[in-house]
């Protein structure tokens, strides 16, 4: 038995995703969404293993707090400052990991097979919680330099302070300029999401040989991806990241590595 804890939780796609994998793999497990208030988090984490849970995914607003409550935290979760996957070990210890960066990189590797991270700089739009995992994973994948731009510049500077010299901060009003050098372009802001304003960064500087991806997956094709496609870039939508970040947790909990394919996408979009 596994699940996802957060608040609110109704919007989470994880139950559909894990439910699909349980079904197609003929496994008997359950994956349950749980709305957990901040005040109850510690108690819930103590109780779930005793109820037979093998782990949980963690979403807003508990991604940081669970790190304090876990017994073991992976280096990548520590670097990112947040965890999204907990494993309840047989010895009673709680192991916290962050698989967002893995999901992000895997999505690009699978859907843009020609992508060579080390070939040139990356441009990252946004410096919120999601951007930390993206920056960490891009550096880990061998990107030589990251240009990062955020409406609130100090948040980008905070990332630069944490991740060092391979990051340069670009003013939000100049964000379009940084695209001229970038071979990997990532939108980590919520701009372009259904119900949010569009991303208005000028895109005419995009290189044809760039791989462009958006963490927004509703709609699947954001203005950034549509424009990039028109300009001849390789584009990858954000749904894949959501699917791939769930793979390591499912594998640890249920002992089987799930496949990400068109049926998985369809299960989540239903
Ligand atoms: P997440 O964890 O999903 O990254 P977040 O930490 O709230 O969420 O970050 C949201 C990102 O979208 C931030 O980079 C935010 O910019 P600010 O740091 O300036 O808030 C960006 N964002 C959201 N609305 C925006 C807007 N209207 N214009 C520009 N950037 C916006």
């Amino acid at each position: 038995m596994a699940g996802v804890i957060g608040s609110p939780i109704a919007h989470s796609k994880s139950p559909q995703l894990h439910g699909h994998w349980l079904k197609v793999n003929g496994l008997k497990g359950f994956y349950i969404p749980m709305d957990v208030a901040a005040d109850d988090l510690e108690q819930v984490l103590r109780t779930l293993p005793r109820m037979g849970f093998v782990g949980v995914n963690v979403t807003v607003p508990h991604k940081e707090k669970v790190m304090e409550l876990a017994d073991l935290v992976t280096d990548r979760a520590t670097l990112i400052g947040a965890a999204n996957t907990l494993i309840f070990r047989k010895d009673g210890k709680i192991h916290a990991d962050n698989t967002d960066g893995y999901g992000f990189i895997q999505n690009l590797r699978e859907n843009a097979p020609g992508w060579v991270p080390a070939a040139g700089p990356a441009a990252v739009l946004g410096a919120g919680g999601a951007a930390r995992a993206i920056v960490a994973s891009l550096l880990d994948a061998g990107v030589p330099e990251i240009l990062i731009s955020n409406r609130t510049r100090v948040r980008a500077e905070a990332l630069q302070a944490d991740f060092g010299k391979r990051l340069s901060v670009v003013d939000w009003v100049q964000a379009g300029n940084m695209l001229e050098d970038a071979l990997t372009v990532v939108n980590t802001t919520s701009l372009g999401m259904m119900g949010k304003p569009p991303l208005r960064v000028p895109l005419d500087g995009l290189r044809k040989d760039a791989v462009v991806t958006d963490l927004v997956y509703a709609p699947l094709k954001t203005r950034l991806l549509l424009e990039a496609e028109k300009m001849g870039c390789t584009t990858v939508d954000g749904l894949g990241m959501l699917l791939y970040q769930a793979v390591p947790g499912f594998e640890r909990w249920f002992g089987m590595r799930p496949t990400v394919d068109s049926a998985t996408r369809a299960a989540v979009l239903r």
Side-chain angles (χ1 to χ4, degrees):
M1 211 155 37
V4 55
I5 57 173
S7 190
I9 203 64
H11 68 284
S12 173
K13 301 270 187 203
S14 297
Q16 274 159 271
L17 173 58
H18 288 272
H20 168 78
W21 280 336
L22 286 167
K23 199 168 133 203
V24 295
N25 288 301
L27 297 170
K28 283 212 182 79
F30 291 96
Y31 185 97
I32 301 160
M34 289 168 276
D35 197 321
V36 174
D39 284 348
D40 299 332
L41 183 61
E42 189 168 356
Q43 185 61 36
V44 166
L45 289 185
R46 257 195 237 130
T47 310
L48 288 176
R50 290 189 214 137
M51 291 170 65
F53 277 79
V54 288
V56 285
N57 283 125
V58 183
T59 186
V60 181
H62 305 315
K63 284 180 149 194
E64 290 86 19
K65 181 72 180 173
V66 291
M67 309 249 297
E68 293 164 30
L69 301 171
D71 301 292
L72 283 143
V73 179
T74 60
D75 288 346
R76 57 187 182 177
T78 304
L79 193 63
I80 295 162
N84 68 345
T85 306
L86 299 182
I87 291 135
F88 302 150
R89 298 184 356 171
K90 289 211 175 74
D91 62 4
K93 297 223 184 312
I94 298 180
H95 190 144
D97 194 8
N98 190 313
T99 64
D100 283 336
Y102 165 83
F104 171 74
I105 296 292
Q106 202 61 16
N107 186 33
L108 286 184
R109 289 206 193 282
E110 295 287 336
N111 294 300
W115 181 56
V116 182
V124 174
L125 298 160
R132 292 189 84 83
I134 303 311
V135 164
S137 66
L138 283 171
L139 292 175
D140 197 44
V143 163
E145 184 193 358
I146 297 180
L147 304 160
I148 184 160
S149 186
N150 192 51
R151 175 182 59 177
T152 310
R153 189 183 162 102
V154 287
R155 287 185 98 183
E157 285 169 351
L159 276 180
Q160 187 188 32
D162 288 351
F163 288 96
K165 284 199 234 78
R166 281 156 74 196
L167 252 71
S168 322
V169 177
V170 175
D171 249 12
W172 186 239
V173 287
Q174 305 285 331
N177 296 354
M178 72 178 181
L179 304 179
E180 290 168 18
D181 294 322
L183 285 180
T184 310
V185 175
V186 191
N187 174 41
T188 76
T189 75
S190 51
L191 296 171
M193 197 185 285
M194 230 178 266
K196 297 269 167 133
L199 178 72
R200 291 190 209 278
V201 170
L203 301 174
D204 32 304
L206 273 176
R207 294 171 54 136
K208 277 192 183 46
D209 53 351
V211 172
V212 180
T213 186
D214 203 323
L215 266 49
V216 171
Y217 60 83
L220 272 179
K221 293 216 172 178
T222 57
R223 171 184 164 254
L224 171 66
L225 296 187
L226 289 169
E227 293 289 317
E229 218 170 74
K230 265 193 232 157
M231 294 173 75
C233 306
T234 303
T235 61
V236 180
D237 71 52
L239 185 63
M241 174 175 166
L242 175 80
L243 308 180
Y244 284 108
Q245 64 77 30
V247 168
F250 188 93
E251 186 176 17
R252 290 290 297 268
W253 302 325
F254 299 115
M256 176 180 277
R257 194 168 180 81
T259 313
V260 173
D261 55 19
S262 54
T264 325
R265 286 174 71 90
V268 170
L269 291 173
R270 256 203 302 272

